[in-house]
Each structure stands twice: as structure tokens, then as C-alpha cells.
Amino acid sequence: MSEPSKKANARSLIFLHVILLIYVGSSVMSKLASGQEFLSPKFIMLYGGVVVLLMVYAVLWQQVLKRLPLTVAFANKSAVMIWGMIIGAIMWHERISWLMIVGTVIIIAGVCLVVMDD
């Protein structure tokens, strides 16, 4: 692979992970909305934010698929579990257990095996 294409591929992977963080952000907003009174202004604002983030994610995901093979994009999508655990631990002080880590490793390894099969 030439140097310019390696840089373009690296930029595409970084772009992909920014998009995945947007996706995780929609989950964060959803969790925050669940703690609000139903149809209160704060609930509507947070839930609206979920919808907006998911729309942005959907459009940007299509842009990633133009730049990266589908197998690579989906293999990296498993990073959402890792980002979710990290954000949950930071924002809500959720405990990350060894079973969660082992489960995440098994899922990521399985996805990698599928991708390497191609």
C-alpha cells in the first residue's frame, strides 16, 4: 500500500471512530432522557438530541462505507462496546467487571476472525 493511501485509510479509520462516538453519544442522551419525567421539556430536548445524533450518524456512516470496505467498518463497529463501557464508567461510575471485558474480547475476536476470513 502506498504512503498516501495509508494516510487516507488512517484518516478514514479515525473518521469512523468519531462517528462511532456520535453513535455512543445517542445512547448517552437516551439514558439521560430516561431519567426525566415523560414529555417534560428536558425529556423532549434529550430525546430530540437522540434522534438528531442518530440521523447524523446514519448519514456519516454512509460516507464511511464509501471509503472503507464493509467488513472493516463493521469490525470497527464493535468498538462501540468499549466506548460505551468507558463512558458508563466515567459518567455513571458503572463498574467494569472482568466478565464484561472477557465478553468484549470474545466478540471483537469473533468479528476479527470473520473479517480475516475474507
Side-chain angles (χ1 to χ4, degrees):
M1 191 180 290
S2 68
E3 190 64 33
S5 64
K6 283 183 182 180
K7 285 184 181 179
N9 199 26
R11 280 194 303 266
S12 294
L13 285 172
I14 291 169
F15 181 56
L16 171 61
H17 281 270
V18 169
I19 292 168
L20 294 176
L21 283 171
I22 291 170
Y23 183 71
V24 171
S26 72
S27 298
V28 169
M29 290 187 99
S30 178
K31 185 166 183 166
L32 291 172
S34 71
Q36 303 303 314
E37 184 180 330
F38 183 63
L39 294 181
S40 69
K42 201 167 186 181
F43 173 86
I44 292 170
M45 181 186 70
L46 288 167
Y47 195 74
V50 170
V51 173
V52 168
L53 284 178
L54 287 175
M55 289 184 335
V56 168
Y57 165 76
V59 170
L60 295 177
W61 177 254
Q62 295 303 316
Q63 298 306 309
V64 164
L65 294 181
K66 290 180 182 178
R67 298 181 179 132
L68 291 172
L70 186 59
T71 54
V72 172
F74 269 102
N76 279 274
K77 196 169 181 181
S78 61
V80 167
M81 292 180 293
I82 297 167
W83 291 121
M85 282 192 303
I86 292 169
I87 290 173
I90 292 170
M91 289 187 70
W92 291 284
H93 308 291
E94 294 176 349
R95 190 175 66 84
I96 298 175
S97 70
W98 284 106
L99 288 176
M100 292 170 71
I101 294 170
V102 169
T104 301
V105 169
I106 290 171
I107 291 170
I108 291 172
V111 170
C112 289
L113 286 173
V114 169
V115 170
M116 288 191 301
D117 188 44
D118 289 340

